[in-house]
């Protein structure tokens, strides 16, 4: 391992290493970040949810969008897999269906970065026990 | 490099390791490989999370799910359910004791809500055996910035301005100590880290060394730069094998990176650290005794002055700070003295780590801003008294501290507030007692400890404490006489005034504070030969209620010393002179006829 020669060296090192723990840093305050849940039950995975998730993780990182991407279970929209739920800070969650990597890129560009809605939204047609 | 989408943080503190957290981590890894997820999910062993009551603790990142009481067998469920299917494993979630609801997110738990973690900032967050994770959290950048941009004097002023006081117990202003050591002229100076944590039940220094060893090494190097020392020594008790192991790893890694050793940051400054082992004597936490022990002499204190800042290790100027004090230093430089001063109270800025123990629901390691009240610590963070019993007292400051009562519950915790109310901060042990605890026995317990730990050098401590202990023993045996309480108090005050070092001067505190705060309890032991808490065996009487006893003879048959007699189908009686108070009869009696008086 090369030695740290000066403060600049250390700072560069820190910036390179930050990626290793940003996931943990973010989990301390997820409410202030874009939260994305990818439905990853058997049907979701079979329809390509893992690719969608990997794509979103990489893409958001390379575009430096602060987001937390997690997997979740079946959302029930089997006809529209892969599905993802996006929660912008301070907004209600929105569910998108049939999200392949192309759709994912559109969602990132339009909805996540600019707040514009895109086609493919699955309306929230149920009530949760929290609301009751 | 594999890019992980989830991290699973497994607590690697001593407590959780004792409950097989190592096996949990390896089972998680095995299960992840089985499901071909080893490149997606990283298992990280961290330092202590603090919530030891619920250990072993596992935290899922990024969704912040907090699993408690995890067993090695649960690893597979966590992988199959949580990681693969994204469903939380309900049965492993924390249950809120009040609402009985599952709480999945640690930020919503009462235990964590009121805490502010500065000294423990990295514990339970980074892998302590990996310097990269420390650097990623701005590790060593305080050291680098100081060395490139500040003079030692300016850096000392930051510590002075922050108002940081020694976390080992005395509360001496750290900046002033550094300044005094800087001003002493010598060809060689030393930085010593006091990791000889000795209060019964206190384990904050161990947890910091186990969870974030680099923060202490960085602070020692900063101190070395400020006072002009190129050698650091960590005095740690040999009973802390895991802390020692992680320290050694940390020292090696820091040397490899050139963050310890010669020419650090290319500034020509040299600093290296070595570890010295203590045999675990309580008195060696006192700085002069500690220095003697490191020199290979008996661990005995000497009169100050000269202070170690003038003449310490090998008669050279030495700056001794405790682990928690050091752990605060990098954070103060990164965020500034003003930031630190805003936390806590005016005279005691910052936070304090406490080892919360005794009869509270949430036993564990907590860090709160100074000025937090005892009530908040015990009832909000600690979750109240176990089994719904009544709060009686809280002991702070270990064997040197005192017991505080219900009247003190709204006392804001800081150095001066605790001192004024007859206790002290100490290193941060906090033991909660309920109505079943006898305060005379509590005082005796602490005195047991100081009698055992007295180094024997000065008479007040060596002989005085022994006599104090004998008097307390007499009282708990019901042989106390009129006048004993006055004698007890007089002797305690004499020891306080005449003992040589901190150990002796503070050893009568538990006796004096319990006498002040619970006078009626001492009175009833001496005058009525009764222990109100029902703890002193010698003062208990087992009595059979003749109205409830049906004469079934069960008790007389189970009594190991044949103290119970009586005709069949007629009420029995217990002969108190024979009874050894073992309690076997009470357990057997089906009619609730036997009671303790």
């Amino acid at each position: 391992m090369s030695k740290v020669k000066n403060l600049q060296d250390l700072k560069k090192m820190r910036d390179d290493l930050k990626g290793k723990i940003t996931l943990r840093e973010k989990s301390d305050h997820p409410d202030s970040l874009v939260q994305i849940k990818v439905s990853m039950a058997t049907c979701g995975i079979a329809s390509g949810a893992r690719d969608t998730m990997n794509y979103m993780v990489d893409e958001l990182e390379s575009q430096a969008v602060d987001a937390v991407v997690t997997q979740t279970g079946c959302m029930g929209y089997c006809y529209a897999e892969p599905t993802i739920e996006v929660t912008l800070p301070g907004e209600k969650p929105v569910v998108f269906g049939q999200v392949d990597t192309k759709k994912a890129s559109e969602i990132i560009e339009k909805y996540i970065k600019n707040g514009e809605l895109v086609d493919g939204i699955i309306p929230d047609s149920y009530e949760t026990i929290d609301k009751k | 490099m594999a890019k992980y989408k989830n991290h699973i943080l497994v607590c690697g503190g001593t407590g959780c390791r004792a409950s097989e957290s190592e096996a949990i981590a390896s089972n998680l890894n095995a299960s992840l490989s089985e499901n071909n997820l080893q490149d997606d999910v990283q298992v990280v062993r961290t330092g202590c999370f603090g919530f030891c009551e619920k250990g072993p603790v596992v935290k899922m990142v990024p969704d912040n799910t907090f699993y408690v009481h995890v067993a090695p067998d649960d690893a597979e469920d966590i992988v199959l359910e949580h990681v693969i299917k994204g469903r939380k494993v309900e049965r492993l979630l924390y249950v809120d004791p009040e609402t009985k609801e599952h709480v999945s997110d640690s930020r919503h738990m009462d235990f964590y809500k009121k805490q502010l973690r500065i000294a423990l900032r990295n514990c339970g967050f980074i892998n302590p055996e990996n310097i990269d994770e420390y650097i990623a959290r701005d590790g060593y950048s305080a050291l680098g910035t100081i060395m490139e941009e500040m003079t030692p004097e300016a850096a000392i002023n930051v510590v002075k301005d922050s108002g940081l006081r020694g976390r080992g117990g005395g509360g001496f202003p750290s900046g002033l100590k550094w300044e005094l050591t800087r001003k002493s002229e010598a060809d060689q100076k030393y930085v010593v880290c006091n990791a000889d944590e000795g209060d019964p039940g206190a384990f904050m220094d161990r947890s910091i060394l186990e969870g974030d060893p680099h923060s202490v090494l960085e602070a020692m190097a900063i101190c070395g730069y400020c006072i002009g020392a190129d050698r650091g020594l960590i005095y740690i008790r040999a009973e802390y094998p895991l802390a020692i192991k992680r320290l050694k790893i940390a020292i090696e890694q820091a040397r490899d990176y050139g963050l310890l050793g010669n020419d650090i940051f290319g500034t020509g400054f040299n600093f290296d650290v070595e570890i010295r082992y203590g045999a675990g004597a309580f008195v060696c936490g006192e700085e002069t005794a500690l220095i003697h022990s490191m020199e290979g002499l008996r661990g005995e204190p000497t009169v100050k002055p000269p202070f170690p800042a003038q003449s310490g290790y090998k008669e050279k100027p030495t700056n001794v700070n405790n682990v928690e004090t050091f752990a605060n230093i990098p954070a103060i430089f990164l965020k500034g003295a003003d930031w630190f001063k805003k936390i806590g109270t005016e005279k005691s800025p910052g936070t304090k780590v406490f080892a919360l123990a005794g009869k509270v629901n949430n036993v564990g390691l907590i860090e709160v801003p100074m000025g937090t009240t005892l009530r908040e610590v015990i009832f909000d963070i600690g979750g109240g008294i176990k089994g719904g019993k009544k709060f009686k007292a809280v002991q702070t400051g270990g064997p040197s501290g005192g017991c505080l009562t219900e009247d003190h519950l709204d006392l804001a915790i800081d150095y001066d507030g605790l001192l004024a109310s007859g206790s002290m901060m100490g290193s941060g042990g906090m033991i909660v007692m309920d109505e079943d605890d006898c305060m005379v026995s509590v005082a005796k317990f602490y005195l047991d400890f100081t009698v055992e730990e007295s180094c024997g050098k000065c008479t007040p401590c060596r002989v005085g404490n022994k006599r104090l202990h004998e008097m307390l023993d007499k009282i708990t045996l019901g042989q106390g006489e009129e006048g004993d309480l006055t004698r007890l108090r007089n002797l305690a005050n004499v020891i306080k005034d005449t003992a040589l070092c901190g150990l002796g001067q503070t050893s009568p505190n538990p006796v004096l504070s319990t006498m002040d705060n619970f006078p009626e309890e001492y009175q009833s032991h001496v005058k009525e030969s009764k222990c109100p808490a029902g703890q002193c065996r010698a003062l208990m009487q087992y009595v059979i209620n003749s109205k409830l006893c049906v004469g079934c003879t069960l008790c007389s048959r189970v009594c190991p010393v044949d103290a119970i007699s009586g005709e069949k189908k007629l009420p029995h009686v217990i002969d108190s002179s024979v009874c050894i108070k073992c309690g076997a009869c009470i357990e057997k009696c089906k009619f609730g006829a036997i009671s303790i008086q």
Side-chain angles (χ1 to χ4, degrees):
Chain A
M1 179 50 77
S2 63
K3 302 240 176 200
V4 182
K5 288 178 205 74
N6 49 43
L7 183 57
Q8 241 182 343
D9 236 26
L10 182 82
K11 284 193 170 150
K12 196 185 159 292
M13 223 169 134
R14 179 195 63 195
D15 295 339
D16 292 345
L17 292 167
K18 263 219 149 106
K20 278 185 130 181
I21 57 163
T22 36
L23 201 60
R24 274 176 252 167
E25 303 260 7
K26 284 178 186 170
S27 82
D28 274 353
H29 51 96
D31 306 336
S32 58
L33 303 169
V34 179
Q35 295 180 67
I36 298 159
K37 287 182 183 160
V38 183
S39 183
M40 294 264 271
T42 314
C43 47
I45 295 170
S47 322
R50 199 176 287 284
D51 292 336
T52 305
M53 178 162 174
N54 288 346
Y55 177 81
M56 299 217 65
V57 170
D58 293 340
E59 200 56 26
L60 288 166
E61 196 185 279
S62 70
Q63 301 199 30
V65 177
D66 270 341
V68 176
V69 185
T70 52
Q71 61 236 52
T72 185
C74 175
M75 290 195 227
Y77 310 111
C78 309
Y79 61 94
E81 291 294 353
T83 46
I84 68 168
E85 182 189 280
V86 182
T87 314
L88 300 183
E91 304 264 334
K92 280 194 164 177
V94 177
V95 178
F96 297 90
Q98 269 134 6
V99 185
D100 52 12
T101 51
K102 209 173 125 217
K103 188 86 198 164
S105 136
E106 192 187 346
I107 292 171
I108 292 173
E109 283 308 315
K110 292 200 172 150
Y111 184 62
I112 296 180
K113 288 166 79 175
N114 296 314
E116 285 170 41
L117 292 177
V118 295
D119 286 345
I121 294 179
I122 300 174
D124 174 358
S125 57
Y126 55 88
E127 286 189 80
T128 62
I129 47 172
D130 296 341
K131 290 185 197 156
K132 278 278 172 193
Chain B
M1 192 179 82
K3 202 135 113 268
Y4 299 113
K5 290 175 192 69
N6 295 72
H7 293 182
I8 305 180
L9 310 184
V10 182
C11 179
T14 295
C16 285
R17 275 169 68 109
S19 323
E20 299 186 280
S21 76
E22 272 300 303
I24 298 171
S26 49
N27 284 3
L28 281 169
N29 273 324
S31 181
L32 287 169
S33 320
E34 222 169 85
N35 292 287
N36 210 15
L37 287 167
Q38 66 275 22
D39 293 334
D40 288 330
V41 185
Q42 183 189 19
V43 178
V44 187
R45 293 163 177 87
T46 68
C48 181
F49 279 86
F51 209 173
C52 309
E53 174 80 26
K54 301 287 172 197
V57 168
V58 172
K59 186 173 169 182
M60 311 294 289
V61 169
D63 56 301
N64 228 8
T65 306
F66 200 84
Y67 288 132
V68 296
H69 287 313
V70 181
D73 292 343
D74 296 326
E76 199 174 349
D77 267 4
I78 292 177
V79 172
L80 293 180
E81 286 293 306
H82 192 119
V83 178
I84 298 182
K85 294 189 187 145
R87 286 199 288 246
K88 295 192 162 99
V89 186
E90 288 271 334
R91 68 188 168 84
L92 296 175
L93 292 176
Y94 173 70
V95 179
D96 189 296
E98 298 240 319
T99 60
K100 306 282 172 219
E101 276 175 16
H102 289 296
V103 183
S104 70
D105 191 328
S106 57
R107 291 168 307 142
H108 299 143
M109 290 178 193
D110 288 333
F111 182 74
Y112 285 106
K113 264 189 214 163
K114 292 208 165 162
Q115 292 199 47
L116 172 67
R117 302 186 140 215
I118 299 176
L120 299 176
R121 61 193 177 281
N122 289 327
C123 287
F125 193 92
I126 60 166
N127 177 353
E129 299 184 8
N130 186 343
I131 190 172
D132 288 349
E133 295 200 357
Y134 182 67
I135 292 176
R137 290 270 278 180
D138 288 324
Y140 290 102
S141 50
L143 176 66
T145 313
I146 293 165
M147 287 177 49
E148 292 205 353
E149 295 168 9
M150 285 172 122
T151 61
E153 287 81 6
I156 288 176
N157 278 333
V158 173
V159 181
K160 276 173 80 177
D161 289 344
S162 75
L164 176 68
R165 297 171 69 171
R167 298 292 194 248
F172 191 80
S174 308
L176 190 58
K177 210 176 200 178
W178 288 23
E179 190 177 60
L180 291 172
T181 323
R182 164 131 202 112
K183 283 184 178 156
S184 304
E185 293 199 11
D187 52 346
Q188 173 75 56
K189 294 181 190 176
Y190 295 96
V191 176
V192 172
C193 172
N194 181 350
D196 189 67
E197 183 171 49
D199 285 8
F203 55 98
M204 59 285 297
D205 293 346
R206 193 195 73 210
S207 287
I208 292 171
L209 291 172
E210 286 175 0
D212 193 15
H214 285 287
S215 69
V216 175
L217 297 181
E218 182 183 1
M220 288 178 75
I222 293 173
C223 181
Y225 174 74
C226 288
I227 66 167
D230 63 0
R231 287 190 62 196
L233 300 158
I234 300 174
Y235 185 82
I236 184 168
R237 33 183 58 215
E239 293 112 309
Y240 282 178
L242 185 63
I244 292 170
K245 181 185 148 210
R246 292 194 174 150
L247 260 178
K248 282 184 173 163
I249 293 172
I251 293 172
E252 277 311 308
Q253 289 176 341
R255 282 182 188 151
D256 283 349
Y257 276 44
L259 296 165
L260 285 179
N262 290 336
D263 196 21
I264 300 171
F265 286 109
T267 57
F269 171 64
N270 307 330
F271 190 80
D272 209 348
V273 173
E274 57 182 290
I275 302 177
R276 293 294 169 84
Y277 306 110
F282 181 61
V283 74
C284 289
E286 199 280 338
E287 54 184 7
T288 60
L290 180 152
I291 288 168
H292 293 144
S293 170
M294 286 201 307
E295 291 169 335
L297 303 170
R298 279 184 75 146
E300 287 179 339
T302 39
V303 182
K304 294 191 271 193
F307 291 94
Q310 294 136 8
S311 169
Y313 182 62
K314 295 189 176 162
E315 291 169 12
K316 302 289 183 190
T318 305
N319 182 81
V320 186
N321 282 135
N322 130 293
V323 172
E324 191 188 333
T325 315
F326 276 131
N328 275 291
I329 294 285
I332 290 174
F333 280 102
L334 287 173
K335 301 220 164 193
D338 287 335
W339 164 81
F340 191 76
K341 235 176 8 197
K342 276 191 205 125
I343 302 162
T345 62
E346 196 192 333
K347 295 219 168 121
S348 310
T351 56
K352 180 77 192 83
V353 183
F354 289 101
L356 193 57
K359 308 266 178 74
V360 278
N361 281 314
N362 301 335
V363 168
L365 198 64
I366 60 158
E367 182 170 353
V368 289
M370 298 273 191
T372 305
T373 64
L374 283 168
R375 190 186 298 279
E376 286 172 290
V377 169
I378 297 166
F379 290 91
D380 296 343
I381 298 173
I385 308 299
K386 260 195 179 133
K389 297 232 168 154
K390 199 170 166 293
F391 168 82
K392 182 167 182 182
V394 55
Q395 211 278 350
T396 68
S400 310
C403 288
L404 300 173
T405 64
E406 215 175 341
D407 298 338
H408 298 108
L409 274 180
D410 291 310
L411 175 82
I413 305 169
D414 68 1
Y415 289 98
D416 311 295
L418 285 173
L419 267 184
S421 53
S423 185
M424 66 181 279
M425 182 73 82
S427 66
M430 198 178 265
I431 298 171
V432 179
M433 295 160 215
D434 69 6
E435 52 192 321
D436 293 340
D437 289 308
C438 160
M439 300 318 286
V440 184
S441 306
V442 167
K444 202 176 98 180
F445 165 80
Y446 280 105
L447 219 52
D448 253 343
F449 182 82
T450 29
V451 166
E452 183 85 5
E453 292 289 348
S454 170
C455 75
K457 184 169 179 172
C458 73
T459 319
C461 178
R462 183 185 67 241
V463 181
N465 279 328
K466 184 85 189 143
R467 293 290 96 82
L468 269 189
H469 187 265
E470 283 167 4
M471 276 192 239
L472 286 175
D473 206 34
K474 211 173 116 187
I475 292 171
T476 54
L477 287 172
Q479 296 156 2
E481 308 161 39
E482 197 70 41
D484 270 355
L485 295 181
T486 323
R487 277 194 289 276
L488 199 62
R489 187 180 285 279
N490 286 344
L491 180 56
N493 281 323
V494 169
I495 298 171
K496 238 181 132 160
D497 292 341
T498 54
L500 174 63
C501 79
L503 194 158
Q505 288 156 12
T506 56
S507 57
N509 283 354
V511 181
L512 288 170
S513 80
T514 47
M515 285 184 85
D516 287 341
N517 290 327
F518 301 92
E520 67 293 338
E521 223 169 301
Y522 278 85
Q523 293 288 355
S524 66
H525 275 81
V526 175
K527 293 205 173 130
E528 299 155 38
S529 291
K530 272 204 174 120
C531 174
Q535 264 218 327
C536 297
R537 273 191 168 210
L539 304 183
M540 292 193 287
Q541 293 258 359
Y542 281 71
V543 182
I544 298 178
N545 183 336
S546 56
K547 284 184 189 137
L548 293 174
C549 178
V550 296
C552 70
T553 74
L554 211 52
C555 59
S556 67
R557 274 181 282 153
V558 79
C559 178
V561 289
D562 293 329
I564 306 177
S565 55
E567 292 290 319
K568 260 187 199 169
K569 297 192 178 167
L570 286 174
H572 282 46
V573 280
I574 299 175
D575 181 350
S576 304
S577 62
V578 182
C579 171
I580 55 164
K581 290 131 186 166
C582 66
C585 51
I586 288 199
E587 273 171 36
K588 279 285 169 200
C589 182
K590 290 173 185 163
F591 308 95
I594 306 176
S595 60
I596 305 171
Q597 282 181 357

